Every structure is written in C-alpha cells, then in structure tokens.
Amino acid sequence: MALWGGRFSQAADTRFKQFNDSLRFDYRLAEQDIVGSVGWSRALVQVGILSVDEQQRLEAALQALLAEVQANPQQILSSDAEDIHSWVEGQLIARVGDLGKKLHTGRSRNDQVATDLKLWCKAQGQLLLQSIHHLQQALLAAAKANESVVLPGYTHLQRAQPVTFAHWALAYVEMLERDFSRLQDALARLNLCPLGCGALAGTAYAIDREALALDLGFAGATRNSLDSVSDRDHVIELMNCASLSMVHLSRFAEDLIFFNTGEAGFVELSDKVTSGSSLMPQKKNPDALELIRGKAGRVVGAQTGMLMTLKALPLAYNKDMQEDKEGLFDALDTWYDCLDMAALVLEDIRVNQARTLAAAQGGYANATELADYLVAKGIPFREAHHIVGETVVFAIKVGKPLEALSLVELQQFSPVVADDVYPVLSLESTLGKRVAKGGVAPQQISAALGWMSAHLAKREFN
Ligand code: ARG
C-alpha cells in the first residue's frame, strides 16, 4: 500500500508506478533508513508522541529488521513498495501493528531521504578513505621495491629527463593524498543532520534537533529547513571527489599501459590482471588498466548529470532529486572498484630495469645537463641552450649519445667543453644533482619515501 493513498480514488497506472518507484535502487539505504527511524522514535519520546514503552517496542522491531536486512539486503527487492521508506514503515506495521503507524509523526520523506543519504555517504566515505589509503600503500611498496630503478621521465611523451620508478610512483601517492583530504573535507561539510526539517518548513514538534543529530552520529543539526531538504551539494561534492580521483587513476592507468607496450617494455603486468585475445594468441592486453581509464568517463559523466539535474531546480524538494541516487551509487562504486583494481595491478607488477635504464640513457635526456655544464663555465643559459641544440643535431646525425661524442666533436660547438664534461653527462650525476626538495636525487627519494611511510602509518580512521 502506498503511503499517500487517502487523497486518491484511482490506483496508479502500473507504468507510472514502475517509472516513479525507487525501491530497486534506494533499497541500498535500508540500513540508514532503519537507523534514522530509531533516532526519530527516540525524538518522538522527547516530545511526548511515544511513551518509553512504545519507543522500546518500535526500536526492538527496527533492530530485528536491521539484522534481517543486513543478512539479506536483496530480500527487499521482492516487495512492490514505492521506496525504501515505505518498505521499512510497511515492515514495521506488519510487525508491531498500529504502533508502527505512529513513527512517521512529524517526519516527511523529504527530511528522511536527505538524512538517509547523508548517513550512507558518511559510511561509504569511510570505506573510500580506506581504499585510497590502501592504494597509496601499494604504490609506496612498489616505490620501495624499485627505489633505484631509473626511468625515463617524459614531457610531450618525448623523453625529457631521467627520473626513478620510485619518484614516478610517489607522484601518484601525492595525487591520492589530495584525493584523501578532499574527501575528508567533503565528509566534514556534509556532517550536519537534516532530520526534523519536515517536508520543507520544519517539523511541527519541538524536537531537540541537536540531540537527535548527535544521536545519529552527526556533528550537529542543519540550520535551515528549506535548504536541508533540497541540498544535494554533498552528492555533487562526493562525485567531484570521485571524478578527480578517477582522472588521477586514468593517468596512472595510461602511464602503465604505455610502460607495458612492446615498444617501451618497462613493466610487465601479471597474468592476473590482463586478458588474451580470442584471435591473436600472442596478445596479453592490459584490460584492468584500460577499464580504469575508461571508467573515468563514466564517473565524470554521472557528476555532470547530477549538476544538470539540480540546475535551476526550485526550492524545496522536487522529485527530480530522486535522480541523485543511481548516479551517486554508481560513481562511488566505480571509484571504489578502480582504487582496488589499481592496487591489485601493482601487487605483481614486474619492472624491467634493463629496459628502463636503456631508455633513460637514450633520447638525449642528459641534454639539460650539458647546458647546465656550459652555464657553470660562464656561458649564459640561452646561449648554452642553443649550443646544446646544435650538439644534439650533430649527435643524432652520427648516431651517438652525447656522452659518446669525443672531446673534439663536443668542442666544435663550444671551446669551453673539457674532460670534466663526461661525469656530468652520467645518469648518476643527472639524478644526483637534483637535491632540492621534491627532486629526484637518491637522498630526496629516500627522504620522500620515509616521510610518506611515516605519514601513512600515523593515519587514523574512525
Ligand atoms: N524516493 C524519494 C527520493 O528518493 C523519497 C522522497 C519522496 N518524497 C516525496 N515528497 N515524494 O527522493
């Protein structure tokens, strides 16, 4: 039975009912709806609507329902209730009779759904914080395992300057660190409880909303009832957290897809996260990474969709807002899965040190070092840049790396070049010079690894 039958003399068209019902997706809010209902029943005691005994009976029935739902959430889907709120209320009435009909006093599905969804976001947010952390740990482990592996660094996908595998991995740890703190910020901002705001104008009972909010685990109660029932900023903010993090993960995926190509051969992905071709027996495709890259589009799309749904929506609640859930659930599920999959990919990754070294040595990645060398000899940088450009053209023509050119060959372009140039052109020197904070010198990498390990070890979850 619908919750709003009294005013209607005709049943809803089955096609409309199917179109309107949200149970098939909002059943995921069952736990939150029950917990919120327990909180509400306590608030109703405070205003004299329920006796202590009645509240206890309601709470016992709700707790029993919660246990059943936790054991088998799918059972809800066999009901034809309109949404999860009707389902919970229907179950309650079936169990405690008329007493169950008192629970909705002073409450609207508008403040109820807003509360349920925030509770769900809080719980899901904690899981996501943990999986971001887990991926950071996996990256850190890969960085430590390959601390001294030299890797070519790229700009414009052209070999630019050598870096190390650890430095590359730590770059993603940093991105995830921002994702982590962004998500924490969003969770802190959404931590105000809308329950007791009624349909839009506030509940007509003198509920102590602050106490209710604390009882439900929120930091406090929202301040404006109109805003409270129509605010979905947190949905957008969480989707934004997901979108930006998925953009990071897509870059991670793309880097590794490239590193894993036959052409680069820097890494080999495990059989556990790759698939074969139905036609070409030699193929081992990086599907896990390609899916991560692809799913970034889906998450950003969901966020854009929600922004458009809310755009120009008049206050307060409108049914448009029911559209918030499928996109949010999908975006956060996808984000969660991709964080997990990225960590799995790293678990068994094999780095081919010989290939990364050869690539880092080729491609004139030490050209900047030669320019800096000339600067140290008193040549202005712009001029030095030009001299090195000409030297590189020559080196390409004779098919040698810079460090293989003879002194005579080098001196054609600048007479200041002497024997002491060769150590400067070595990989050790190129890396070792970059001692400023954030640079790729071995002592900086080891400090960065140490700092990040300690930072992650200190992290606490609620
Ligand atoms: N299923 C609805 C939603 O997700 C619940 C709120 C219904 N409120 C209403 N006034 N019809 O938004």
Side-chain angles (χ1 to χ4, degrees):
M1 194 197 58
L3 295 176
W4 31 262
R7 191 194 183 289
F8 292 76
S9 47
Q10 265 194 312
D13 188 285
T14 46
R15 273 148 61 210
F16 165 70
K17 178 164 165 52
Q18 216 170 20
F19 186 64
N20 186 52
D21 287 1
S22 51
L23 188 70
R24 71 178 184 283
F25 50 87
D26 68 15
Y27 79 99
R28 288 184 67 174
L29 300 177
E31 200 171 318
Q32 289 73 26
D33 199 76
I34 296 170
V35 168
S37 295
V38 170
W40 187 245
S41 70
R42 293 189 188 135
L44 290 179
V45 175
Q46 180 237 317
V47 290
I49 296 292
L50 291 178
S51 70
V52 170
D53 171 65
E54 286 176 323
Q55 191 279 331
Q56 280 169 352
R57 278 161 52 212
L58 279 181
E59 181 163 343
L62 285 165
Q63 299 293 5
L65 184 59
L66 180 60
E68 284 172 34
V69 159
Q70 280 167 337
N72 178 16
Q74 302 286 330
Q75 61 164 307
I76 304 169
L77 292 172
S78 57
S79 152
D80 77 339
E82 179 186 339
D83 57 23
I84 190 60
H85 324 294
S86 339
W87 185 83
V88 170
E89 196 172 323
Q91 288 291 317
L92 198 58
I93 294 167
R95 285 153 200 245
V96 297
D98 281 351
L99 173 59
K101 296 181 181 167
K102 286 186 165 188
L103 178 65
H104 207 55
T105 313
R107 186 176 68 167
S108 156
R109 276 186 297 165
N110 299 351
D111 58 347
Q112 192 178 354
V113 72
T115 306
D116 291 0
L117 196 56
K118 278 190 162 186
L119 285 170
W120 186 87
C121 287
K122 277 159 59 95
Q124 204 63 20
Q126 290 309 316
L127 293 179
L128 283 160
L129 287 173
Q130 281 171 25
S131 37
I132 296 172
H133 180 83
H134 178 236
L135 178 54
Q136 286 182 299
Q137 295 281 27
L139 281 159
L140 202 59
K144 284 180 180 164
N146 299 283
E147 185 171 347
S148 54
V149 172
V150 183
L151 185 73
Y154 293 83
T155 60
H156 313 274
L157 264 189
Q158 306 281 314
R159 269 172 275 171
Q161 287 173 346
V163 295
T164 62
F165 190 85
H167 202 54
W168 173 85
L170 281 167
Y172 285 99
V173 179
E174 292 292 342
M175 291 178 227
L176 289 163
E177 187 62 19
R178 294 194 294 276
D179 294 341
F180 190 95
S181 87
R182 193 173 293 112
L183 178 55
Q184 276 186 320
D185 288 350
L187 291 172
R189 207 162 14 257
L190 71 78
N191 201 13
L192 293 177
C193 181
L195 198 57
C197 285
L200 72 163
T203 183
Y205 298 84
I207 302 278
D208 179 350
R209 288 192 54 230
E210 289 298 335
L212 172 59
L214 296 184
D215 188 34
L216 290 177
F218 287 94
T222 51
R223 286 182 293 273
N224 179 290
S225 64
L226 272 179
D227 175 50
S228 303
V229 294
S230 55
D231 169 27
R232 293 295 183 272
D233 287 4
H234 43 286
V235 172
I236 303 225
E237 282 197 61
L238 291 187
M239 285 168 134
N240 179 44
C241 292
S243 296
L244 190 41
S245 185
M246 284 299 299
V247 166
H248 292 153
L249 295 183
S250 76
R251 300 181 75 172
F252 164 83
E254 172 60 16
D255 269 353
L256 284 180
I257 289 167
F258 166 61
F259 291 173
N260 183 58
T261 54
E263 285 71 14
F266 299 162
V267 300
E268 196 189 324
L269 301 174
S270 143
D271 288 1
K272 293 188 203 161
V273 292
T274 48
S275 80
S277 155
S278 58
L279 176 73
M280 299 163 281
Q282 83 283 13
K283 292 285 287 286
K284 189 167 139 182
N285 299 325
D287 296 38
L289 294 168
E290 289 172 344
L291 280 169
I292 292 174
R293 188 176 59 182
K295 284 174 191 289
R298 165 178 175 159
V299 172
V300 175
Q303 185 202 1
T304 310
M306 191 57 209
L307 278 166
M308 290 304 100
T309 297
L310 281 186
K311 176 186 173 292
L313 203 62
L315 292 185
Y317 180 85
N318 299 270
K319 199 58 172 269
D320 313 45
M321 292 166 78
Q322 179 166 289
E323 289 294 307
D324 57 3
K325 282 172 270 311
E326 283 165 292
L328 176 70
F329 292 165
D330 186 68
L332 297 194
D333 289 348
T334 304
W335 185 19
Y336 185 87
D337 290 347
C338 290
L339 288 163
D340 181 48
M341 205 42 58
L344 185 64
V345 167
L346 286 170
E347 250 174 46
D348 286 312
I349 200 163
R350 240 180 33 81
V351 181
N352 187 335
Q353 196 161 353
R355 295 288 297 240
T356 60
L357 185 66
Q361 277 166 334
Y364 302 98
N366 52 0
T368 316
E369 307 320 304
L370 182 55
D372 285 341
Y373 169 86
L374 295 173
V375 168
K377 299 265 171 175
I379 297 179
F381 180 76
R382 200 40 65 211
E383 208 176 304
H385 187 283
H386 190 77
I387 293 169
V388 177
E390 289 178 334
T391 314
V392 169
V393 172
F394 173 79
I396 292 172
K397 208 167 71 192
V398 299
K400 291 184 191 169
L402 289 178
E403 62 276 22
L405 295 179
S406 71
L407 208 49
V408 175
E409 284 173 322
L410 287 168
Q411 282 167 344
Q412 299 175 79
F413 305 97
S414 172
V416 306
V417 179
D419 247 351
D420 59 352
V421 74
Y422 292 108
V424 168
L425 296 177
S426 73
L427 267 177
E428 291 69 32
S429 152
T430 306
L431 296 171
K433 268 166 64 180
R434 292 179 156 72
V435 290
K437 182 176 180 184
V440 78
Q443 63 269 43
Q444 274 301 330
I445 301 284
S446 124
L449 287 172
W451 185 89
M452 197 46 93
S453 305
H455 175 70
L456 294 184
K458 280 201 301 271
R459 191 170 264 163
E460 279 169 16
F461 294 96
N462 7 339

